[in-house]
């Protein structure tokens, strides 16, 4: 499947797991170019973690990595690269600013193409393919922004966007006839019709839902929680656990000095159990319900308050009192008997 | 048979795949790697990655929440 013909040109494709990058790679594969895929893991991809944790997410779809599925479907090799640490500087200090949320889309694209360019040079490949489509995204994929990605990444005219190539100046692979420009496309805009028709013609039916669905930084609620984390931590530091936890559960900050994370289903409860050595946790003793992690320096009064909030989510039929067990990160425990808050006593303002 | 061991319990996809990929890149064809995971997604992703790179899963089993893979490194 991966036999390489001598002197065959080699392209590295950025594979997000979505449809556009899949089709871009397919167009170049069909021209006889050797293609391998790169997928960069920043920690902010929505699908992987969430589907692994939550019970309710898309049970009809397999719990799979979409980029791997794309690569296997195309018959190409995929290299998944952990860029969590390097990506921090992109997110905390984006040179071109954020989009409508905490999404540094243009800097993110520059970063990924730059990484792909380095990979290309180290592995003696010839050019880079992306699934970018002119006008598909409000910022990073505007026609006037595409040269910024090519220039700031260092890739220059070794960066080919097969889906919109006919609207762009010919790149090196086109000028050198490594690929036939006539067989590239002229797609623009946010519409998906052409891509979906192409997918159907290739027999691709099980692809991930197209466009913008992967990065949680484009999600307003997620960005709000990240901003809250930075604000109350007093710095923009984060680690992988921080950004995973922002995807899980209800996040409530009733007071400035502490935050509560409450699981929403059994999958999240099981997952949050794994963080009991990092955070103080609260669990129901004589009722069925979620788990809560608390982040901050809480007083005894605060713990009583948090216990009442947790008891509100008990699945039992409103007993007058519920026992809540508080377990410190070191493992010491204390039981509190509390009367659950009513739903009216849980202020909507607390939700982050 | 000597087996290298990679304990990836608690990690969520795609991290288990990345760790397996990085570990196998340091191993020789024919060597064997035992991998422990807990993310159910690994039952799809690790076999997929192995097929793609011509490594062979000799054994795959699940006990309680632990998923075990025994992988023989191929001629990738």
């Amino acid at each position: 499947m991966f036999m390489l013909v001598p002197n065959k040109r080699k392209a590295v494709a950025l594979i997000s797991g979505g449809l556009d990058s899949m089709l871009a790679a397919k167009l170049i594969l069909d021209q006889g170019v050797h293609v391998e895929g790169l997928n960069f893991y920043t920690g902010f991809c929505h699908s992987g973690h969430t589907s692994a944790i939550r019970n309710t997410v898309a049970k009809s779809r397999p719990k799979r990595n979409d980029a791997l599925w794309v690569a296997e479907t195309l018959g190409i090799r995929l290299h998944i690269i952990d860029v969590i640490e390097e990506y921090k500087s992109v997110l905390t200090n984006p040179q071109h600013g954020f989009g409508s949320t905490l999404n540094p889309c243009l800097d993110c694209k520059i970063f990924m193409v730059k990484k792909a360019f380095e990979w290309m040079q180290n592995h003696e490949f010839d050019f880079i393919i992306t699934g970018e489509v002119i006008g598909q995204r409000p910022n990073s994929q505007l026609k006037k922004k595409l040269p910024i990605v090519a220039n700031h990444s260092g890739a220059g005219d070794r960066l080919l966007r097969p889906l919109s190539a006919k609207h762009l100046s010919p790149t090196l692979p086109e000028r050198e006839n490594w690929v036939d420009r006539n067989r590239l496309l002229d797609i623009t805009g946010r519409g998906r019709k052409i891509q979906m028709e192409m997918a159907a013609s290739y027999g691709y039916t099980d692809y991930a839902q197209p466009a913008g669905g992967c990065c949680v930084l484009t999600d307003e609620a997620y960005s709000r929680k990240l901003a809250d984390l930075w604000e109350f931590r007093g710095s923009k530091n984060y680690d992988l656990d921080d950004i995973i936890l922002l995807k899980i559960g209800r996040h409530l900050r009733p007071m400035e000095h502490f935050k509560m994370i409450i699981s929403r289903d059994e999958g999240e409860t099981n997952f949050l159990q794994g963080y009991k050595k990092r955070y103080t946790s609260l669990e129901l003793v004589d009722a069925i319900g979620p788990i809560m992690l608390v982040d901050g320096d809480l007083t005894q009064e605060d713990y009583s308050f948090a216990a009442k909030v947790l008891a509100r989510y008990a699945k039992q039929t409103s007993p007058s009192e519920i026992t809540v067990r508080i377990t410190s990160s070191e493992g010491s425990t204390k039981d509190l008997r509390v009367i659950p808050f009513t739903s009216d006593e849980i202020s909507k303002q607390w939700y982050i | 048979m000597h087996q290298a061991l990679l304990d990836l319990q608690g990690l969520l996809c795609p991290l288990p795949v990345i760790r397996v990929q990085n570990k196998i890149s340091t191993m020789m064809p024919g060597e064997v790697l035992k991998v422990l995971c807990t993310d159910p997604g690994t039952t799809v992703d690790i076999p997929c990655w192995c097929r793609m790179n011509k490594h062979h899963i000799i054994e795959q089993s699940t006990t309680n929440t632990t998923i075990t893979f025994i992988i023989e490194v191929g001629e990738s």
Side-chain angles (χ1 to χ4, degrees):
Chain A
M1 184 160 55
F2 303 117
M3 291 296 287
L4 188 56
V5 178
N7 301 321
K8 190 174 184 178
R9 291 294 170 180
K10 295 188 284 186
V12 56
L14 287 177
I15 300 292
S16 67
L19 181 57
D20 288 345
S21 58
M22 182 182 197
L23 294 173
K26 176 66 175 166
L27 284 173
I28 300 306
L29 265 176
D30 284 351
Q31 295 207 22
V33 174
H34 175 83
V35 177
E36 295 191 17
L38 279 185
N39 177 263
F40 294 112
Y41 178 60
T42 64
F44 291 102
C45 185
H46 186 277
S47 59
H49 296 148
T50 315
S51 65
I53 297 161
R54 292 210 69 190
N55 289 345
T56 53
V57 174
K59 283 185 176 174
S60 60
R61 289 195 63 219
K63 290 177 176 176
R64 69 176 192 204
N65 180 291
D66 288 319
L68 279 170
W69 177 83
V70 164
E72 188 171 42
T73 302
L74 291 172
I76 66 173
R77 180 172 289 154
L78 181 73
H79 310 272
I80 307 180
I81 299 176
D82 176 348
V83 292
I84 294 167
E85 286 301 316
E86 288 176 84
Y87 193 74
K88 286 179 180 175
S89 63
V90 177
L91 179 57
T92 58
N93 187 28
Q95 300 302 302
H96 297 88
F98 292 111
S100 59
T101 58
L102 287 180
N103 53 324
C105 288
L106 189 53
D107 288 277
C108 181
K109 185 65 76 177
I110 291 168
F111 170 79
M112 291 190 178
V113 174
K114 183 179 180 184
K115 295 293 295 180
F117 185 56
E118 290 168 3
W119 192 96
M120 183 199 91
Q121 291 176 308
N122 291 335
H123 294 79
E124 298 183 340
F125 274 50
D126 298 300
F127 63 101
I128 301 165
I129 310 163
T130 71
E132 290 165 290
V133 170
I134 291 171
Q136 188 177 88
R137 302 278 170 81
N139 186 13
S140 61
Q141 289 179 214
L142 293 174
K143 188 172 183 180
K144 64 181 179 184
K145 298 286 180 70
L146 295 186
I148 296 175
V149 176
N151 295 333
H152 287 230
S153 65
D157 65 358
R158 286 182 186 263
L159 174 58
L160 175 63
R161 286 100 167 189
L163 299 183
S164 288
K166 285 184 176 172
H167 287 294
L168 300 166
S169 300
T171 58
L172 183 69
E174 296 159 274
R175 294 197 309 271
E176 294 293 323
N177 292 319
W178 300 343
V179 299
D180 180 357
R181 181 175 169 88
N182 293 323
R183 294 169 64 190
L184 304 178
L185 302 182
D186 58 356
I187 304 174
T188 60
R190 299 174 70 90
R192 313 294 305 173
K193 189 165 179 270
I194 296 171
Q195 290 94 316
M196 292 168 88
E197 285 173 355
M198 287 174 68
S201 72
Y202 290 129
Y204 304 150
T205 55
D206 196 23
Y207 51 85
Q209 283 310 302
C214 180
C215 180
V216 289
L217 293 170
T218 61
D219 180 88
E220 193 180 332
Y222 186 89
S223 282
R224 208 164 46 237
K225 286 184 273 192
L226 180 59
D228 172 85
L229 177 83
W230 285 348
E231 179 184 350
F232 290 96
R233 181 169 287 179
S235 80
K236 290 185 175 179
N237 283 336
Y238 65 83
D239 62 25
L240 182 61
D241 285 323
D242 288 327
I243 60 180
I244 289 175
L245 279 174
L246 295 181
K247 302 174 189 175
I248 310 300
R250 301 175 178 90
H251 288 237
L252 293 80
R253 186 178 292 283
M255 299 170 210
E256 284 201 0
H257 63 284
F258 75 95
K259 181 174 89 167
M260 306 181 289
I261 305 173
I262 306 170
S263 59
R264 292 171 293 188
D265 61 32
E266 189 183 350
E268 288 191 346
T269 298
N270 292 337
F271 185 75
L272 292 183
Q273 295 271 359
Y275 285 88
K276 288 174 70 172
K277 289 185 178 173
R278 177 166 168 156
Y279 296 98
T280 296
S281 58
L282 284 75
E283 293 169 277
L284 304 170
V285 174
D286 47 10
I288 296 170
I291 184 174
M292 173 192 286
L293 303 181
V294 289
D295 183 15
D297 295 321
L298 285 75
T299 64
Q300 286 305 309
E301 195 178 340
D302 294 332
Y303 278 121
S304 177
F305 177 92
K308 292 174 186 175
V309 172
L310 180 66
R312 144 78 183 86
Y313 293 99
K315 289 180 181 169
Q316 307 264 108
T317 49
S318 304
S320 56
E321 284 193 322
I322 286 181
T323 303
V324 174
R325 179 160 299 156
I326 302 167
T327 306
S328 73
S329 55
E330 290 81 26
S332 60
T333 61
K334 181 179 181 180
D335 288 355
L336 289 180
R337 294 281 289 170
V338 297
I339 298 172
F341 276 145
T342 64
S343 56
D344 290 342
E345 289 175 292
I346 309 282
S347 170
K348 289 186 172 56
Q349 304 294 323
W350 301 345
Y351 284 88
I352 302 168
Chain B
M1 183 190 302
H2 172 74
Q3 291 180 345
L5 174 66
L6 207 49
D7 186 349
L8 306 176
Q9 295 178 90
L11 292 185
L12 298 174
C13 282
L15 284 173
V17 177
I18 293 173
R19 299 287 166 83
V20 168
Q21 170 189 268
N22 294 349
K23 180 68 180 175
I24 284 183
S25 72
T26 69
M27 297 172 68
M28 299 296 291
E31 289 187 322
V32 175
L33 176 65
K34 180 177 183 178
V35 184
L36 306 177
C37 303
T38 44
D39 182 349
T42 57
T43 61
V44 176
D45 293 343
I46 287 181
C48 177
W49 183 84
C50 286
R51 284 193 301 275
M52 192 180 291
N53 289 282
K54 300 180 181 173
H55 305 303
H56 312 292
I57 295 182
I58 301 169
E59 189 180 320
Q60 178 180 336
S61 59
T62 302
T63 310
N64 296 323
T65 56
T66 301
I67 303 156
T68 303
F69 300 92
I70 309 288
I71 303 169
E72 181 184 353
V73 179
E75 301 274 354
S76 182

